[in-house]
Amino acid sequence: MTEPTPVHLERLGPKTYIGRNARGAEVPIGSLGADGAFSPGELLQLALAACGLLSSDHTLASSLGDDFAAVVDATGTKPESGDRYDTIAATIRTNMGALDADKIAALTDRAERAIDKLCTIGHTLDHGAAHPVTIADDSDLPTTIGR
């Protein structure tokens, strides 16, 4: 089993947070309506989108070139009742105009197989994952924000 990737979230204010990883990256996180921030559901959609493109990048680059352009659109749908997603879908868009129809079909098939084989986020969604969240007392933290 691999070690978990160290990420953490710090509260900046009511329903406003900053997520960080050990490599120095930061992402603002908030409620769905928060300006300039991603909601947790949007981050999940982005995770699937990024995993799909990263998993297929080598395959796509082998036919389209190392500098190929791509955009991934991701969406999530929720049932009317319940606080979960029914579907999270991603579409990788890239210009394959230099290829004929047979080569596009073959490249698409190879890229989709790479995603099926390599996308950890997709595998996690397929099989589910334990998701415990615990509350712990930490006397090293200040009692209020900014102190």
Side-chain angles (χ1 to χ4, degrees), residues 53-109:
L53 187 53
L54 284 167
S55 297
S56 63
D57 192 270
H58 177 77
T59 302
L60 293 169
S62 70
S63 292
L64 303 175
D66 285 337
D67 62 348
F68 77 95
V71 173
V72 186
D73 301 311
T75 59
T77 59
K78 291 182 175 182
E80 287 189 32
S81 62
D83 198 19
R84 64 179 181 81
Y85 289 94
D86 280 352
T87 304
I88 300 171
T91 301
I92 298 171
R93 296 185 291 123
T94 189
N95 188 331
M96 295 184 272
L99 305 177
D100 64 35
D102 289 340
K103 288 184 180 178
I104 290 173
L107 177 58
T108 300
D109 181 61

Side-chain angles (χ1 to χ4, degrees), residues 8 18 22 25 67 71 74 88 93 113 118 137-138 145:
H8 70 271
I18 188 82
D67 62 348
V71 173
I88 300 171
R93 296 185 291 123
R113 282 193 320 235
L118 301 172
D137 180 25
D138 186 344
I145 298 169

